[in-house]
Structure formats: structure tokens, C-alpha cells
Amino acid sequence: MMRGRVARDVTHFEALAHLLELERRAERARLATEKAALPLTELEARGLVVLDVESVEESIGLGGRTLVTFAREDKRPLRSRLNVGDVVTVSPRKAPVDAPPGAIVTRASRAQLELAFDRHPPPFIGEGRLRIDLVANDVTFDRARGVLKKLAEMTHGLARDRQQLVLGAFTPRFDRRAPLTPSRPLNPEQLAAVQLALSARDVALVHGPPGTGKSTVLAEIAVQSVKRGQRLLCTAASNAAVDHLLELCLDAGLRALRVGHPARVLPHLQGHTLDLLVEEHDDRRTARELFDEAFELLGYARKQREQGRSRQRFANARAAKSDAYSLMDEARVLERRAVEAVLGRADVICATLSMLEGQILSGRTWDLALVDEATQALEPLALGAFLKAPTVVLAGDPKQLAATVISMEAKKNGLGTSLFERVLRDFGEDVKQMLKEQHRMHELLMRFPSREVYGGELRAHPSVARHTLGELLAAGATVDAPPLLFLDTAGKGFDESKEPGTESLRNEGEAGLVVSRAHELLAAGLPPQAIAVITPYSAQASLLRERLAPAPLVEVDTIDAFQGREKEAVLLSLVRSNGEQQVGFLEDLRRMNVAITRARRHLFVVGDSATLTGHPFYTRFIEEAQAQSGYRSAWEWTAFEPGPMS
């Protein structure tokens, strides 16, 4: 039954285009305002600029790109936390240039940044101190607008049916579900999800709560569709999600190919990128030789013009230029042929949603498109999959965090609502299969999110239902570590505060308790790679990262950045502690759902009940901890003092 159907026409695409433009302007304005109003030190603290770095190494990367590594001369850690895939510019620290070269972040660590330049950078890159600036990237916006324009123009025949489907006016169709022999063990809901996807003629939804094996389902859909002789497209909004899809397909033995800038692909997967494979193709090698010859001819033509103005020299220059352009045309034909040959060998193409309308993939179609993390993609981007395949499978979890939308007006008017959510609202449960058996959390960790968020439908697989942290500790180690432990700081005076020069919040008292807990677990033998420290606020993440620096392998990040990840033990600092019972970011319960579903065996939460219980969700969460004998007061908690060997 379709209870949420809303009448729409092509003006829906115009409205989305308007919201996209609002978001583009908001993103530009925020960046410009911050750069104009804030001192450089604050810009660096916010991750918008990296100051006083020098080039320390240069090499040639994939596709002939120049890779340059930057670090501080004194080897101190960088204050900024740029991310792999960010677009940046590089300029001299004290002498701005008119058109600083652009690059993409390929590797980011505490002390170094590696950037990829498509063209060889100018000499100043190797001459003294530099600044690296984060810049806005308009390509995604432009391509999303292009998708909306194409959909608005699909007014005849089968194309109109596709248009009406995405507008919610054309009911999705399904064939009878055929018997299926899966290539791997599947539980009943996973099998039903695969069958739903393979029987869909238009669109199907796979709802995957945390740890329920959504990846397993997508891999099986890929295997079965390729077995049927279908051409498959795997896509998602983020590069990390596309890399994960690529790994799933490769592990299943499929010939999968990654399309996209190699700098945005995980290093161990770069050998499967189109760029690298094309570089190794014989036609591309010949094309490089032709380009080299063409550039030599252009150089000869330039010298002929510079050496005099005689008729013969002009004739020589014209002939050389003509020959050069002919060689370039021939080289481009060979390059296109190499690209087609590499693409043609693949069973599966993996690319981000923003790449679907790029030069390589524009105009190409597939039989089936799998869209992972569909609930984290803006609708205009997700709609691009419907231009690429007659059948689209959207996979995700609308109960976790959605795509970030900066413009409040755009968010209020629907840009924050994913296509997954809209399709579900339009067509109801008949187009969706929810996965219910989770393979991550101890059953006591699962109990609260299952009841609060997933209607009590989750169940724990026997392999994880009773696993505990104690099983991973050193022999004889004793740590107070029930699956769920809430440490209440009420009355301790651990008030929240703003980080100087920012609007982000931190809580030094909570940070001390979390750091103490991390050292206690490390001293008990838990490997640092098994621990994550998360928090809703970037200022608190920075504070915790700084204080945990002696234990560098303990991962520290914001809740938002940690979505999709898991660790054996997760330490969560909620930060908020004030007399007005304001919980800020924590009002978005999807954020809290992400936070409390990352841990496999032990979730340690530090918070102020006097503040948190102003919201009923947190009241129930604390009551759940009490019911599990997992409530502790900070007044009675003995902080662990790390020794020299911990």
C-alpha cells in the first residue's frame, strides 16, 4: 500500500536545482566568511588551511601525476586534519600568487600531507614555506544539476516512464521471485533482500541497520546479476563507500574496475583503477609516444617563429603545427580505444555518483545499478543512477545520519531527505526488505537501539550475542567492563565550554575520564587498534586526540566521521553539561543511533545525567544502563593513572 504518495510534476526537478544552488552558495559563503573573518591560526585549527609546511619528497604517481609530500621543518604534527580527496591550492606562505596550483589530498597523517598534481607544480613548491588552502569543489554541484536537467527533459516513451517513476507517479514493478542458490550463507532476510533486488524491474530498497550484513547482500546481488550476464554499476556518494563496493566485487571473483581519480582510491585498490590500467595498455603507450612527438613539433614551430619572419620559416611553422595536431588527434583516438578496451573487459564498474555524468561514463548505461549508502546521498546525485540503468537498488539505513546540508533553507525544504526515504514514503514497505540479524553487537548493546530505533526487530547472531571484552584482555586482567557502561558526571562541575575562537564545544573533565579509561584498557592488554574514541563535537575530538597522542593507534574522531565503522570497544564523550539541559547536536537521534551502535563488545559513555535527562531519549538510555547494571557515578569512579609502560 502506498500511503505517502505525493503528487509531483517536473517542477520537482526545478525545485531540487534551486535547493542545490542554495547549498552551493551556503558552502561558498561559509568558506569565504571564515577565511575573511578568522585569523590564520583559527583557520588552521578548523582544517581550512595548513601553514608553514615545506615539500620533503616528490615522486611520480598513477597516471603520470606528480605526488608531493609536505611537512613542517621541525617535524611537529600538523594542526589541520585535511581528508583524502579534499581539493586544495598551494601557494607561498608570504607571497600570494594569482593562480595557485590545485591538487588533491592523497594521504594525510599527523605530520605529513601528500598531494597529487595533475600537472607538474611550479618551482616555488620546492622553495621555502608554503600554505595549503582547502577550496570549494563545484564539480559535484554542476553534475547534479545536469542530472536534474536530463530528467526534466525525459518526456516521451520509456524515458517518460523513468521520469514518472522517480516523481512517484509510476508504481515500481516486480517479476515473480525465482528460486536462488546463493554463493554464500545467507539468513532469511538477506536471502529475501537478494531475491527482491533481482526481481525488481524498476527500483528496490535494502534497509541495513548496523551490523546486519548489507555488504553481504550487495555482494550476492552483484554475483547473481553477473551470473545472469547483466552489466553492473556499483556506486555511492563517497569514495570510501565505492572502494568498499569494489573490494566486495573483487573478493567475489568479479572483474571489477574503479573509475575515478586514483588519488581518491585506497592505495591497495589503485591497481584496479581505469587510469592505471589504461596507462599499461599498448594503445596508450603508443599515444604517449605520439604526444611526445607532437610536443617536439610544436617546440620546433615556436622556434621557427622566434628566429625570424621569413616566408619559409612561417611555412615550416605551419607545417609543423599541422603535423603536431594530426599526431595529437591520432593519439586521442588511441587513448579512447584503450579506455574502451579496459572498460569492456570489466563485469562491474565502480564509481561515485558524481562521476556518473563525468566524461568517461556520460552516455553509458548498465542493466543494474547498486547504490550503497543511499541514505547519505543528496537526492539529485542519487537520481543519476536512474539515468544509467533500468533497475536501481538503493541500500542504506534512514535511521543513521543523512548527507550533510549546510543551507538551513535547503534542508528545511527537503534537500536533507534522501531518495531512499522518498521512495519508501511513496511506495511503502512492498519495495523494501529490512535486514534483521546483526553480527556486530553483544545482545545487551543491541537491545536499546533495537527497541528505540528499529521497532524491536533486531536479533543478535549467536557468534556475537554474548561475546565480551574480557575475552580480549590479558590473562588475569580485571576491568569493570559490562557491555554497556554509563559514567554519570552529574554534580562534578565538568561544564562544557567553547573552544577559544570557535563555536565548537569541549569538556575537559569528560576528556580526562575518557583518556583514563583508554589507558586502563590498554594496560589490561586490549590492542589500541581495538579502541575508538568518539564524540559529537570536533573541539572535543581535537582535545582527546591531543591528550591521547602517546597512544597514537587509538582512533579518535567525531561521531559523524565514524559512521559505517566499528571497534571492539568504543568510548563516547557526550560533552553537554549545562544548567539549561540543552543537548545541541544530540537532539538528532540519528547521530546518537550511530554513536551507540559502533561497539562490538563494550560501549563506555560519559555524560551528565542532569543535562541529558532533559530529553526523553537520554532518560531512557540511562535507565537502560541502570537495568543492565551498567550505571556508575563519577563520584565513585577511580580514575586510572597510566604508568610509564602503558
Side-chain angles (χ1 to χ4, degrees):
M1 188 166 81
M2 294 166 289
R3 298 181 178 179
R5 181 77 67 87
V6 176
R8 301 182 189 87
D9 57 25
V10 291
T11 59
H12 176 69
F13 303 126
E14 296 172 12
L16 284 175
H18 173 66
L19 298 181
L20 267 181
E21 185 58 29
L22 291 177
E23 179 66 6
R24 186 209 301 253
R25 291 174 187 171
E27 191 173 293
R28 284 178 173 175
R30 184 177 73 168
L31 195 58
T33 299
E34 290 177 332
K35 287 193 172 182
L38 298 175
L40 280 175
T41 53
E42 179 54 30
L43 291 176
E44 188 171 31
R46 294 193 181 195
L48 300 177
V49 64
V50 179
L51 298 173
D52 298 320
V53 293
E54 299 178 352
S55 63
V56 295
E57 184 180 350
E58 183 175 317
S59 61
I60 300 299
L62 300 180
R65 296 173 175 87
T66 302
L67 301 179
V68 183
T69 300
F70 298 89
R72 292 182 184 272
E73 184 181 17
D74 56 12
K75 311 300 182 187
R76 285 188 297 117
L78 305 176
R79 291 190 68 197
S80 291
R81 299 288 293 179
L82 293 177
N83 298 312
V84 172
D86 282 344
V87 180
V88 298
T89 59
V90 185
S91 56
R93 174 70 168 90
K94 301 291 187 181
V97 293
D98 290 336
I104 291 176
V105 178
T106 56
R107 194 173 67 237
S109 66
R110 288 178 183 270
Q112 291 187 332
L113 277 176
E114 182 186 77
L115 306 183
F117 295 82
D118 283 341
R119 297 180 179 179
H120 196 276
F124 72 72
I125 293 293
E127 300 169 356
R129 295 186 178 183
L130 306 164
R131 60 180 284 172
I132 300 172
D133 286 82
L134 182 70
V135 297
N137 184 1
D138 285 341
V139 172
T140 297
F141 288 104
D142 292 337
R143 289 176 178 171
R145 286 176 63 91
V147 167
L148 296 173
K149 184 175 185 295
K150 287 183 178 180
L151 285 167
E153 294 170 350
M154 293 168 62
T155 56
H156 300 288
L158 293 176
R160 176 175 169 76
D161 289 345
R162 300 295 292 164
Q163 181 199 77
Q164 293 303 299
L165 172 75
V166 299
L167 288 173
F170 184 97
T171 303
R173 301 161 297 173
F174 291 86
D175 296 326
R176 177 177 296 180
R177 298 191 188 186
L180 176 67
T181 302
S183 64
R184 69 203 71 209
L186 300 175
N187 62 46
E189 293 86 11
Q190 290 174 331
L191 179 60
V194 174
Q195 290 177 315
L196 179 74
L198 295 176
S199 67
R201 295 172 62 186
D202 303 295
V203 64
L205 307 180
V206 177
H207 179 189
T212 53
K214 174 169 59 70
S215 295
T216 299
V217 169
L218 294 177
E220 186 62 27
I221 295 170
V223 168
Q224 297 295 333
S225 63
V226 170
K227 188 182 294 185
R228 293 178 172 190
Q230 292 183 310
R231 294 170 301 113
L232 180 64
L233 171 67
C234 288
T235 182
S238 72
N239 282 286
V242 175
D243 284 349
H244 182 55
L245 288 169
L246 175 63
E247 282 192 290
L248 291 176
C249 292
L250 293 172
D251 289 345
L254 304 180
R255 293 175 299 189
L257 175 68
R258 179 72 156 90
V259 176
H261 198 301
R264 292 189 169 103
V265 178
L266 290 172
H268 70 282
L269 296 174
Q270 289 176 344
H272 300 279
T273 58
L274 177 67
D275 284 49
L276 181 61
L277 293 173
V278 167
E279 285 294 326
E280 296 172 348
H281 195 275
D282 288 343
D283 284 340
R284 170 58 181 150
R285 292 193 181 99
T286 304
R288 283 201 300 270
E289 294 171 0
L290 293 176
F291 276 125
D292 289 343
E293 189 176 345
F295 291 140
E296 288 181 8
L297 286 170
L298 290 174
Y300 170 77
R302 185 174 62 254
K303 289 178 181 178
Q304 286 293 303
R305 292 194 302 272
E306 291 171 350
Q307 290 174 358
R309 302 179 61 83
S310 70
R311 181 178 299 177
Q312 185 59 47
R313 292 191 184 279
F314 275 118
N316 291 342
R318 280 197 304 271
K321 286 178 65 177
S322 177
D323 289 345
Y325 293 148
S326 294
L327 289 172
M328 286 182 174
D329 289 341
E330 186 179 347
R332 292 188 184 105
V333 169
L334 289 172
E335 281 189 332
R336 286 194 293 270
R337 197 162 74 185
V339 168
E340 292 297 329
V342 174
L343 287 171
R345 291 199 296 262
D347 297 321
V348 186
I349 300 297
C350 301
T352 61
L353 287 163
S354 64
M355 282 295 299
L356 301 187
E357 291 301 307
Q359 182 179 0
I360 298 295
L361 301 182
S362 181
R364 298 178 187 275
T365 59
W366 289 263
D367 300 307
L368 175 65
L370 300 183
V371 184
D372 197 9
E373 290 188 352
T375 51
Q376 297 174 50
L378 295 178
E379 179 177 341
L381 279 175
L383 285 170
F386 287 84
L387 297 176
K388 295 299 182 182
T391 304
V392 177
V393 176
L394 302 173
D397 182 7
K399 303 299 185 180
Q400 297 188 58
L401 286 166
T404 300
V405 177
I406 297 171
S407 167
M408 290 299 101
E409 183 180 351
K411 188 172 185 177
K412 182 179 68 176
N413 286 284
L415 192 60
T417 301
S418 69
L419 183 61
F420 184 110
E421 294 170 279
R422 186 166 70 74
V423 169
L424 181 58
R425 195 166 58 220
D426 282 349
F427 302 118
E429 298 290 323
D430 289 345
V431 300
K432 185 195 84 171
Q433 175 62 51
M434 176 176 164
L435 309 179
K436 299 179 181 181
E437 185 172 78
Q438 63 87 18
H439 294 249
R440 174 184 300 169
M441 295 171 277
H442 187 288
E443 59 186 2
L444 292 179
L445 286 177
M446 178 198 73
R447 192 164 75 183
F448 182 77
S450 177
R451 183 177 68 241
E452 287 285 325
V453 182
Y454 300 105
E457 294 194 73
L458 299 187
R459 64 182 184 274
H461 188 270
S463 64
V464 302
R466 298 184 185 278
H467 63 185
T468 64
L469 196 66
E471 297 166 351
L472 305 181
L473 302 181
T478 57
V479 177
D480 182 10
L484 172 61
L485 195 159
F486 179 79
L487 182 58
D488 189 356
T489 65
K492 290 290 286 184
F494 291 169
D495 293 339
E496 66 193 52
S497 62
K498 284 187 179 179
E499 185 180 45
T502 79
E503 294 299 311
S504 189
L505 298 178
R506 63 185 184 181
N507 188 314
E508 298 206 12
E510 283 193 13
L513 292 172
V514 169
V515 170
S516 168
R517 180 61 163 182
H519 284 296
E520 181 182 19
L521 295 179
L522 291 170
L526 189 65
Q529 299 92 333
I531 305 172
V533 176
I534 61 175
T535 177
Y537 291 93
S538 59
Q540 184 77 343
S542 297
L543 176 63
L544 288 162
R545 195 176 289 118
E546 180 181 321
R547 292 193 178 183
L548 277 166
L553 296 180
V554 174
E555 190 169 355
V556 183
D557 222 324
T558 62
I559 294 170
D560 296 38
F562 204 70
Q563 179 162 269
R565 308 280 309 287
E566 64 179 54
K567 292 283 186 176
E568 301 295 345
V570 171
L571 316 184
L572 169 61
S573 171
L574 295 179
V575 177
R576 300 311 299 252
S577 180
N578 55 74
E580 297 77 33
Q581 292 190 313
Q582 295 179 354
V583 296
F585 278 171
L586 299 182
E587 285 189 359
D588 186 345
L589 299 185
R590 293 180 299 181
R591 177 171 284 109
M592 190 60 176
N593 183 42
V594 170
I596 64 177
T597 56
R598 301 304 97 197
R600 289 174 50 79
R601 300 169 187 259
H602 177 61
L603 175 63
F604 177 82
V605 183
V606 182
D608 178 1
S609 65
T611 297
L612 297 171
T613 51
H615 194 294
F617 179 91
Y618 297 97
T619 299
R620 295 192 295 272
F621 178 74
I622 295 170
E623 289 172 347
E624 177 66 28
Q626 291 170 332
Q628 295 187 23
S629 299
Y631 174 89
R632 309 285 186 271
S633 170
W635 286 98
E636 303 165 353
W637 186 261
T638 302
F640 177 82
E641 295 294 336
M645 296 305 292
S646 65

